[in-house]
Amino acid sequence: MEAMKDFSLAKQLQQDTIKLGDFSLSSLLLMNDKRYPWFILVPRVPGIEEVYQLSAEDQQQLWWEVSYISEKLKDIFAADKMNIATLGNKVRQLHIHIIARQQSDDAWPEPVWGKLPPIAYAPEAVEALKERLHTVFTTYLTYTAER
């Protein structure tokens, strides 16, 4: 794995998300919009904007983390479809959106970003979600109490 000592999270991601924990390569964030089970995975490698800029080893680890999270989220949220995207048009830092979509969600079948104004989670709802995730992310995720 590449060095992570000089890594810092983009300001926009800090403002819009709640940090849940860390995998070996990436931080797992929760988008602060309770309308959707919307997670963001950010490799803790400084200066990276695109997947191809990661080492081959880090690319494999990143894809493993995306797949692991997606499989677990599909199960616990009974998702009809998992949306996985890397855009980076507004936030250049490499980050991957992983969203458990349901045909009944407020934006279906459109993309979630920019569709409706976000509705922030109450602190107790974040804690309840962390407890729910604890039941499936039992081995590879180190939980944090950071915001």
Side-chain angles (χ1 to χ4, degrees):
M1 306 280 162
E2 295 181 14
M4 298 180 194
K5 64 182 176 179
D6 296 326
F7 173 79
S8 63
L9 189 62
K11 185 178 180 181
Q12 191 69 49
L13 291 174
Q14 290 177 29
Q15 292 173 354
D16 294 346
T17 66
I18 300 160
K19 184 172 181 184
L20 299 176
D22 292 315
F23 288 95
S24 65
L25 176 67
S26 307
S27 292
L28 181 63
L29 311 174
L30 172 66
M31 181 61 93
N32 196 7
D33 185 353
K34 71 178 188 174
R35 291 180 191 274
Y36 320 99
W38 183 351
F39 299 83
I40 297 176
L41 198 58
V42 183
R44 293 184 313 280
V45 179
I48 298 296
E49 294 182 358
E50 308 292 346
V51 173
Y52 66 80
Q53 294 174 315
L54 294 170
S55 69
E57 178 185 2
D58 284 354
Q59 288 179 39
Q60 287 181 320
Q61 180 62 31
L62 179 60
W63 191 244
W64 182 90
E65 291 173 2
V66 168
S67 297
Y68 177 79
I69 293 165
S70 298
E71 179 182 17
K72 301 297 185 187
L73 294 178
K74 183 167 178 49
D75 289 345
I76 65 172
F77 291 106
D80 294 315
K81 178 72 175 106
M82 294 302 300
N83 288 175
I84 300 170
T86 59
L87 300 175
N89 297 340
K90 290 186 178 183
V91 176
R92 300 294 297 242
Q93 182 175 51
L94 177 60
H95 62 288
I96 300 175
H97 298 265
I98 304 170
I99 310 163
R101 298 296 305 273
Q102 296 173 330
Q103 291 183 23
S104 61
D105 76 38
D106 291 342
W108 184 270
E110 304 300 323
V112 296
W113 37 81
K115 185 73 175 170
L116 297 165
I119 299 174
Y121 282 95
E124 55 275 4
V126 173
E127 289 308 311
L129 182 58
K130 285 181 182 179
E131 287 300 316
R132 191 172 181 191
L133 294 175
H134 244 308
T135 64
V136 293
F137 295 143
T138 56
T139 305
Y140 304 106
L141 183 67
T142 303
Y143 290 89
T144 60
E146 293 180 32
R147 162 104 171 97

